[in-house]
Amino acid sequence: MLVQQESIQFSQFSSLYDLIVPKENMLRKINELIDFSFIYDELLNNYCANNGRTAESPVRMFKYLLLKTIYTVSDVDVVERSRFDMSFKYFLGMTPEEGVINSSSLTKFRKLRLKDTDLLNLLINKTVTIAVEKGIIRSKSIIVDATHTLSRSNPFSAIEVLRERSKHLRKTVYLFDDQYKDRMPEKNNSDELEKELTYCKELENLIEKEPTLSSIPAVKEKLNLLKETIEDTQENFTLSKDTDAKTGHKSADSSFFGYKTHLAMTEERIITAAVVTSGEKGDGPELAKLLEISQENGIDVDTIIGDGAYTGKENLKLTSEQNIKVVARLNVTIAQGARKDDDKFDYNKDADRFVCPAGHMAIRKAIQGKKNIGKNQVDTYYFDVEKCKSCPLKEGCYKEGAKTKTYSVSIKSDLHQEQIAFQETDYYKEKAKHRYKIEAKNSELKNVHGYDRAISYGITNMQMQGAIAIFAVNLKRILKLM
């Protein structure tokens, strides 16, 4: 049951906040910047109004998730820190003496209360609206790019994740007492998951038996992360339960298993739109959505800055109709577009290869024909025919008994002369200098806010993680520019 109106908490100790939490504290600034009651209004229908015990405030629960993202800690640690950190208590709207929630409530909140809400667009819209109202956004350009996030699942086994967690714990312990190097349990050198779990449990037990060590906040955080991973691995036995994640490619020889988040950002580094897809999806096809969402969020767009992935025929046609300039180096392969309407082969600009509808990337590329002899050259992409033979989408794509499977694209040198000419202008060269900003924003999301790896399974949870991470970086940017 959820009370119909948020109540104000009074305490004789509330004046402590004025002494302990300074005005320049980031959490105090966020509280003053934004009215979080929109979260209550958005989630109200996900609660029962007159049945069951009184639920925790959805605003407070959301703030817990925001703190978890800002400081990159586990559910257990963000709740534990709110027990003694006065800036956390102030941000959460708690009285100094008030008790904390059970950390398991955060999992229930994510699964039950945030379900079926478009949190991603809601939070981005809120921060963009604030930035526009404060006069922070002045440019009419958006910079577009995609960043990849590894699935919480590992397509092979859980050993790599367990070893990474245990390594971080050991390194943190050694910072405080390097004599523990001789006391650590013997590492597992085999590829057996059960043995790795046994080692991690021995390491966990060793640290927990030393109260003076396990009570150190830095050690405790790493220990809790390892414990969460052990529990999750025991429950699923292998971290390969993410059916929404797909294999994408960062180059012809490098791949990842997970998701892509396609971003649009202003020159002031405020993210205005985001679309989360599985890892195999191309960048270019998402441009129309990014542009539409940015415009719906109040951004007047006259220029789009990106890389060659966004110079597809459909994208250039769309921007031309809206009189929007595209500051992206023309890629002749992408610019041809699909050969026919039902063609679903997608070009991966990082690997310089086409990806088939089933998500398999071409294994090699060859150029056929000669230059300057009156005929167009053709790029021919070759696929692994063994995969084609067992592919569920082979009907109409692969001919039974064929020894090869290829996909060809004509290179037309006289196409898009207008875009080629625009690339030589001073305006293009000046605007292109801003593209680095979105690379820096991708780095901030990954390295500061844990967006390099998904914290849960499924694309819905990935969208939720992206929503809160983008909300956090946008709020921090707004505070910096005010």
Side-chain angles (χ1 to χ4, degrees):
M1 182 176 70
L2 184 66
V3 293
Q4 291 297 308
Q5 187 175 355
E6 292 280 275
S7 59
I8 300 174
Q9 301 290 329
F10 293 100
S11 168
Q12 60 180 324
F13 304 110
S14 294
S15 58
L16 287 172
Y17 289 134
D18 295 330
L19 298 173
I20 298 173
V21 185
K23 290 183 178 180
E24 60 271 17
N25 179 270
M26 180 181 68
L27 298 180
R28 179 185 281 273
K29 287 183 176 181
I30 291 176
N31 255 358
E32 294 171 352
L33 174 67
I34 186 169
D35 179 6
F36 283 93
S37 62
F38 75 97
I39 295 293
Y40 182 92
D41 297 335
E42 182 70 20
L43 301 182
L44 184 60
N45 292 332
N46 290 354
Y47 290 83
C48 180
N50 52 19
N51 191 27
R53 67 179 184 178
T54 304
E56 284 287 344
S57 162
V59 173
R60 180 175 295 177
M61 298 299 284
F62 173 79
K63 285 185 174 182
Y64 265 116
L65 296 183
L66 184 57
L67 288 172
K68 175 181 167 68
T69 299
I70 292 174
Y71 295 97
T72 321
V73 291
S74 66
D75 288 357
V76 172
D77 286 314
V78 75
V79 172
E80 180 62 24
R81 187 165 169 180
S82 69
R83 190 188 304 276
F84 60 82
D85 191 317
M86 293 296 277
S87 65
F88 273 37
K89 281 182 175 286
Y90 174 81
F91 181 69
L92 292 166
M94 300 167 62
T95 59
E97 72 274 22
E98 191 173 348
V100 298
I101 64 171
N102 188 297
S103 60
S104 63
S105 299
L106 290 176
T107 301
K108 294 179 181 177
F109 179 71
R110 280 191 293 261
K111 290 182 177 180
L112 302 178
R113 310 307 180 192
L114 296 182
K115 183 176 65 174
D116 301 327
T117 59
D118 188 5
L119 198 64
L120 185 61
N121 286 325
L122 175 71
L123 297 183
I124 292 177
N125 176 268
K126 190 65 178 179
T127 51
V128 172
T129 300
I130 293 173
V132 171
E133 290 175 351
K134 300 289 184 182
I136 291 172
I137 297 178
R138 298 186 180 88
S139 68
K140 294 184 178 182
S141 303
I142 58 171
I143 312 167
V144 292
D145 195 17
T147 186
H148 71 274
T149 302
L150 299 178
S151 169
R152 184 175 183 175
S153 296
N154 188 305
F156 307 108
S157 71
I159 289 178
E160 186 176 315
V161 183
L162 286 167
R163 284 177 176 166
E164 188 72 11
R165 292 278 193 251
S166 62
K167 181 181 74 174
H168 286 316
L169 176 58
R170 290 195 306 272
K171 284 187 174 181
T172 306
V173 169
Y174 298 154
L175 288 175
F176 295 95
D177 191 346
D178 59 3
Q179 293 182 358
Y180 271 88
K181 291 181 178 179
D182 299 327
R183 300 175 57 186
M184 290 294 180
E186 185 179 352
K187 292 181 185 177
N188 168 44
N189 295 316
S190 72
D191 291 330
E192 295 183 37
L193 179 60
E194 290 180 335
K195 290 184 178 180
E196 189 65 31
L197 279 168
T198 301
Y199 166 75
C200 289
K201 289 176 187 175
E202 290 175 357
L203 177 62
E204 174 191 330
N205 292 333
L206 174 67
I207 304 301
E208 287 187 326
K209 287 179 181 177
E210 301 290 340
T212 56
L213 187 64
S214 61
S215 61
I216 298 173
V219 175
K220 194 172 183 179
E221 285 183 8
K222 299 296 186 295
L223 178 62
N224 285 332
L225 286 172
L226 177 62
K227 289 168 69 175
E228 280 188 4
T229 306
I230 292 173
E231 291 172 4
D232 189 74
T233 307
Q234 287 176 319
E235 180 181 344
N236 297 291
F237 198 72
T238 177
L239 294 178
S240 58
K241 302 293 183 182
D242 198 339
T243 56
D244 291 338
K246 295 292 185 292
T247 300
H249 300 274
K250 293 180 283 186
S251 69
D253 303 315
S254 176
S255 64
F256 69 94
F257 182 71
Y259 300 92
K260 271 187 176 181
T261 302
H262 308 264
L263 299 173
M265 183 186 79
T266 67
E267 291 180 13
E268 293 83 10
R269 307 191 192 199
I270 302 294
I271 295 174
T272 60
V275 176
V276 178
T277 66
S278 49
E280 88 286 5
K281 300 295 185 183
D283 299 357
E286 304 304 324
L287 179 63
K289 293 180 185 176
L290 294 175
L291 175 60
E292 180 183 359
I293 295 171
S294 296
Q295 292 170 332
E296 289 176 352
N297 286 337
I299 305 300
D300 184 13
V301 181
D302 67 7
T303 304
I304 295 173
I305 304 169
D307 57 30
Y310 300 97
T311 58
K313 183 172 62 177
E314 293 302 317
N315 286 340
L316 293 178
K317 180 181 177 182
L318 172 67
T319 53
S320 177
E321 290 172 350
Q322 299 188 36
N323 199 27
I324 296 174
K325 298 180 178 65
V326 179
V327 178
R329 183 64 59 177
L330 186 69
N331 186 308
V332 292
T333 303
I334 302 174
Q336 310 311 312
R339 297 183 302 186
K340 51 184 180 292
D341 292 340
D342 60 348
D343 198 336
K344 301 299 181 183
F345 281 72
D346 194 15
Y347 183 75
N348 184 302
K349 49 92 179 177
D350 296 315
D352 188 26
R353 297 284 192 277
F354 269 93
V355 179
C356 77
H360 302 303
M361 191 172 69
I363 55 177
R364 67 185 182 92
K365 166 189 172 183
I367 299 178
Q368 298 177 346
K370 296 181 179 180
K371 292 183 179 180
N372 305 319
I373 62 169
K375 292 184 179 180
N376 292 324
Q377 287 184 293
V378 174
D379 274 347
T380 300
Y381 297 85
Y382 292 82
F383 290 83
D384 186 345
V385 73
E386 295 303 319
K387 292 181 179 178
C388 296
K389 290 177 181 178
S390 58
C391 179
L393 304 178
K394 66 180 180 180
E395 185 177 349
C397 181
Y398 170 73
K399 185 178 180 180
E400 289 292 345
K403 295 182 179 180
T404 61
K405 169 59 186 175
T406 62
Y407 182 87
S408 300
V409 177
S410 295
I411 305 174
K412 301 176 181 178
S413 59
D414 59 346
L415 189 64
H416 300 303
Q417 292 300 320
E418 184 178 337
Q419 178 68 13
I420 293 172
F422 173 59
Q423 292 173 180
E424 303 303 320
T425 64
D426 292 338
Y427 181 86
Y428 177 97
K429 294 174 182 178
E430 183 61 32
K431 286 292 182 181
K433 295 177 182 178
H434 293 279
R435 190 182 173 278
Y436 78 93
K437 294 177 180 178
I438 201 163
E439 299 288 354
K441 185 63 66 175
N442 290 340
S443 177
E444 180 186 358
L445 285 167
K446 289 183 176 183
N447 298 326
V448 180
H449 298 290
Y451 206 58
D452 56 331
R453 183 177 288 276
I455 61 175
S456 192
Y457 300 109
I459 197 165
T460 300
N461 288 317
M462 188 69 242
Q463 290 169 337
M464 191 185 306
Q465 181 181 348
I468 299 175
I470 292 169
F471 187 66
V473 297
N474 272 0
L475 286 178
K476 289 167 63 178
R477 185 63 182 169
I478 290 170
L479 290 175
K480 185 173 183 178
L481 296 178
M482 283 179 60

